[in-house]
Every structure is written in C-alpha cells, then in structure tokens.
Amino acid sequence: MPEVFSNKLRLTVISALVTGEKDFTELKQYTEATSGNLGAQLLKLEEWGYVSCTKAFVGRKPKSTYELTEAGITGFREYVEMLENVLRGMK
C-alpha cells in the first residue's frame, strides 16, 4: 500500500476519484499532469487494482473513464486512518 501513496500524482488522482468517476480529460485538468505521466500513473493504479477503466467511443473519439475500485476505496481509507493516527501521536 505505501508505494501507491508515495507518489503525489497517484495520490491526487485517487483523491479526485473519491468523489466519483472522472474521464481522462477531467483528471488531466485536475492534476495538471502531462498526458504521458498521467497515463503511466493510471496504468499502475489499474495494475494494482485501485482504479478501473472503462473505454468507450463518444462519436468517433475514444473516451476513458476511471473510478476507484473497492480495493482503492479501502486502501485510501486505511491510508487516511494511518495519517490521522500519526497526527494524533504528534499532540
């Protein structure tokens, strides 16, 4: 799990997807990442089972839509809880 959240872009993508599915263009605008870097990080998140991708055509243009999987939601929740525990320990 820590490797998933050790990258700022992956963490930003997961944070964006907590509120619901987003397409590639929305994630690119939200993260301000290059297409190549965003695509590479989304592929890693898919491989790890944190994100799922649905591909479709809108008109003649391809559209990829991403959403968190149950594993992604659980992993993010555990990460946030770990951070909360660390912060509580700092008091």
Side-chain angles (χ1 to χ4, degrees):
M1 173 178 73
E3 185 178 0
V4 172
F5 301 108
S6 65
N7 177 283
K8 180 181 176 183
L9 180 52
R10 288 193 299 260
L11 185 57
T12 303
V13 166
I14 290 172
S15 299
L17 294 176
V18 165
T19 60
E21 69 178 29
K22 307 269 186 297
D23 66 33
F24 188 86
T25 303
E26 291 171 313
L27 288 172
K28 189 171 182 232
Q29 291 171 346
Y30 185 84
T31 62
E32 298 180 350
T34 64
S35 295
N37 195 9
L38 178 58
Q41 297 309 321
L42 284 166
L43 185 57
K44 286 182 181 182
L45 289 168
E46 278 186 83
E47 289 171 354
W48 291 330
Y50 277 67
V51 169
S52 65
C53 176
T54 304
K55 295 182 184 283
F57 280 89
V58 177
R60 297 184 139 216
K61 294 184 180 183
K63 182 177 182 178
S64 298
T65 304
Y66 298 87
E67 65 181 327
L68 286 178
T69 62
E70 286 299 319
I73 293 167
T74 299
F76 187 67
R77 183 176 289 125
E78 290 172 355
Y79 179 72
V80 169
E81 288 172 0
M82 184 266 309
L83 290 176
E84 289 173 339
N85 289 334
V86 167
L87 290 172
R88 273 194 285 277
M90 294 176 66
K91 291 182 182 182

